[in-house]
Amino acid sequence: MTLEVRDIVMNFGGFRALDGVSLTVPAGGLVGLIGPNGAGKSTLFAIMSGFQTQDAGAVLLDGRPLDALAAPARARAGLVRTFQVPREFRNLTVRQNLLAAAPGQTGENLLGLFFQPGRVAREEAVIARRAEETLRLLKLAPVADQPARQLSGGQKKLLELGRALMLDPRFVLLDEPFAGVNPVLIGEIVARIRELNAAGIGFLIIEHDLEALTRLVPYLAVLDRGRIIAQGGPDAVLTDAAVREAYLGGVA
Amino acid sequence: MTDLLQHVANGVVQGLFIGMAALAITLVFGIARFPNAATGDMMTFGAYAGLVAQQAANSLVLAGAVAILAGAVVALASHWLVFRRLAGRSVVSLLVASIGVAFMIRAVLGVVFGQAQAVFQVPLTRAQLYWGVRVTPLNLQISQVVVAALLVVFAVLYFTPIGRQMRAVADDRDLARVSGIRPERVMVALWLMAGAVAGLAGMMLGIKTVVAPEVGWEMLLPAFTAAILGGIGSAPGAVLAGLLLGVAQEVSTPFVGFSYKIAIAFLVMLGVLLVRPSGLFGRSESVR
């Protein structure tokens, strides 16, 4: 099971946002994606998750192209993304936010709801247990019944991770999981990602906080002006001349 | 005092109709994101379907089931044939399209059934006195049916997977999609539910008053008022605001006269919106 993007090209008008990007996240891999603002990182996530359609190239999950799948189908196939600015179902409670991210229930259509109530109840019990486990894992249990809009920024990041977990993902695309999060909670999020990764979930992580990121990931890829300019171990990548040029504008 | 209570009681019945219509409007607005001006005529459609069923089978229960089904079908058909094709257009485009759908439904009903008023055959019953307030068994039964229907809708909305998905899509459609929810499927359930509510409301209104091609359309203004007053997108708000409006209209009738009671609805709305611009239960953020 690998996640791969191959030769992705994306143009916005005359501007080439992505110019032949190829990158592979192996099964259970932990890969950081860095690069200056406007390098195309978020565009790459949008394409991988099915929010935008690339002009050329392919997104493959286990060698199988995902291009025909819309965003909800990709999430169900095990490729789940989070958002840079954390989003939540604001009027649902924290627990309901998690339950909402467990699609594929009989009770999702009105016929199933009214004519197979027993089955609906059994399925609900199963996902309710998973939601409880996820709440405990992310230490969100104390706020489980609060409306999600009341969470702090850091808690919302955890909730995003929790929503992703409810989909039983193979790969999670995290868009700046540490942005705007206090250092204590960053440690918490890092620890959770490590645990989940150890359990076999692959991560591709966009992050500007290089210090926190390099503590977490053994492999870094650098995107600059729509191209991958370096990838490998953090030490090698961060001392790479082209990377220093791109990041620091040649100052260093 | 008894007079006042009497008006309140009448207002509650009227308010239940307004509340149901407002519920159908606010559900659609919250999830499909446009004010559906065809809601009233979906009610009328349900009323006529119920009338035909009652005449054919002489059963009010069966008529109610047919009205629910007819409302659901006409709403889903409107979605598939019109609204879905305009998805992503401006709210005004969808509003205008829904006015067109409204005229279509009304025209078809007018051609098939004529412009004359029809009535449901219901047994005449003597009003009972409760604490000095005269309530007819018919009004009581209508109210019970409406309350039961509202309870079912709220149970679906707040205690089931599809209801959770509806509220999720209403909150953040993109987030719902990355959570694996298919908004198009949710939309189908939404229209079935909103249409069923409208169809049943139309038949209940028809039993209480008359069935004519215009009856639903005439409910539209107070229903929109209640939806806005309740905080657009808020289902409990819509029902409570409907009740409030119904009572305000009836209680004010002795003072302003029958013809002007509709104006009271707008005075109430104006007053509330001056104090709470987002409605009784609304949050301004929920309007996009």
Side-chain angles (χ1 to χ4, degrees), chain B residues 17 78 176 248 253 255:
Chain B
F17 295 132
S78 310
T253 303
F255 306 105

Side-chain angles (χ1 to χ4, degrees), chain B residues 33-60:
Chain B
R33 301 231 168 264
F34 71 94
N36 175 20
T39 308
D41 295 280
M42 290 172 180
M43 289 172 66
T44 318
F45 192 85
Y48 273 104
L51 191 69
V52 170
Q54 199 222 7
Q55 285 164 355
N58 198 26
S59 156
L60 272 179

Side-chain angles (χ1 to χ4, degrees), chain A:
Chain A
M1 177 65 54
T2 55
L3 173 61
E4 187 186 352
V5 294
R6 199 180 285 165
D7 303 324
I8 297 278
V9 175
M10 185 74 191
N11 299 300
F12 294 115
F15 173 67
R16 179 155 286 203
L18 295 174
D19 188 12
V21 172
S22 296
L23 184 65
T24 301
V25 184
L30 197 49
V31 176
L33 180 62
I34 65 172
N37 285 325
K41 304 184 298 294
S42 289
T43 302
L44 185 62
F45 267 24
I47 289 169
M48 293 173 81
S49 57
F51 269 73
Q52 284 175 342
T53 308
Q54 68 274 23
D55 294 324
V59 181
L60 305 116
L61 189 60
D62 213 18
R64 198 166 52 97
L66 292 179
D67 305 311
L69 299 186
R74 292 189 196 197
R76 288 166 183 232
L79 175 59
V80 185
R81 73 168 294 181
T82 66
F83 290 99
Q84 188 174 345
V85 178
R87 292 163 88 156
E88 71 286 344
F89 301 121
R90 43 178 296 114
N91 296 313
L92 272 58
T93 66
V94 172
R95 181 184 279 109
Q96 288 168 344
N97 263 265
L98 295 180
L99 293 174
Q105 310 281 315
T106 309
E108 274 167 31
N109 71 66
L110 293 169
L111 285 179
L113 192 61
F114 286 110
F115 294 108
Q116 295 179 287
R119 183 163 162 192
V120 171
R122 278 194 301 280
E123 290 175 355
E124 280 286 281
V126 171
I127 64 166
R129 263 198 306 280
R130 282 196 27 220
E132 290 313 312
E133 283 165 21
T134 309
L135 286 167
R136 256 200 312 279
L137 173 75
L138 299 177
K139 302 203 164 72
L140 288 172
V143 292
D145 294 312
Q146 282 182 25
R149 62 176 177 274
Q150 294 175 353
L151 295 186
S152 71
Q155 287 174 320
K156 285 181 183 177
K157 294 274 185 189
L158 285 170
L159 179 58
E160 284 246 38
L161 189 55
R163 240 194 19 261
L165 293 181
M166 288 300 288
L167 284 150
D168 203 6
R170 264 88 60 100
F171 291 96
V172 178
L173 310 176
L174 293 177
D175 200 343
E176 298 197 27
F178 309 137
V181 178
N182 72 55
V184 178
L185 213 44
I186 287 182
E188 188 70 33
I189 295 174
V190 166
R192 293 295 87 76
I193 292 173
R194 280 220 177 89
E195 282 173 33
L196 295 165
N197 184 244
I201 299 175
F203 286 89
L204 179 60
I205 305 173
I206 294 177
E207 186 50 64
H208 282 297
D209 183 344
L210 289 185
E211 204 266 317
L213 186 64
T214 48
R215 264 192 294 157
L216 179 63
V217 301
Y219 195 91
L220 269 186
V222 185
L223 194 62
D224 181 40
R225 278 171 280 181
R227 290 172 164 278
I228 300 278
I229 56 169
Q231 51 183 314
D235 292 340
V237 164
L238 292 178
T239 49
D240 184 283
V243 173
R244 299 185 74 80
E245 169 78 25
Y247 245 84
L248 305 168
V251 175

Side-chain angles (χ1 to χ4, degrees), chain B residues 274-288:
Chain B
L274 280 174
V275 184
R276 275 191 65 89
S278 52
L280 290 173
F281 296 86
R283 279 167 298 268
S284 47
E285 300 96 322
S286 67
V287 182
R288 275 181 278 178

